[in-house]
Amino acid sequence: MPEEDSRIDHFVLEYRKTNFDGLPRVKDEQHWELIDYIKATEYTLSGLKFDTKYMNFRVQACNKAVAGEYSDPVTLETK
């Protein structure tokens, strides 16, 4: 987490499966899975079924009043 005087209270992580290499496409997109209220700058995502080659991830910083913009999606390989 940022320094204690920071306005960030927690993070939201969203991820989805995709079957292609590169940036997300509009056609055949999967819905975003949500993990809310992450209090650390690291998170281990477990229980995934690795039936697709790539996954898209994005993060959002939140405080008690409002949520910020999502980060740009990042595509990772899930070998």
Side-chain angles (χ1 to χ4, degrees), residues 42-60:
E42 294 180 8
Y43 185 83
T44 300
L45 193 58
S46 61
L48 294 175
K49 295 179 182 177
F50 294 106
D51 57 354
T52 56
K53 188 174 181 181
Y54 294 90
M55 308 241 352
N56 294 324
F57 294 87
R58 64 184 183 183
V59 178
Q60 181 181 45

Side-chain angles (χ1 to χ4, degrees), residues 3-14:
E3 296 176 18
E4 289 193 26
D5 64 346
S6 173
R7 295 181 183 178
I8 296 175
D9 179 64
H10 66 278
F11 296 97
V12 173
L13 171 67
E14 290 190 346

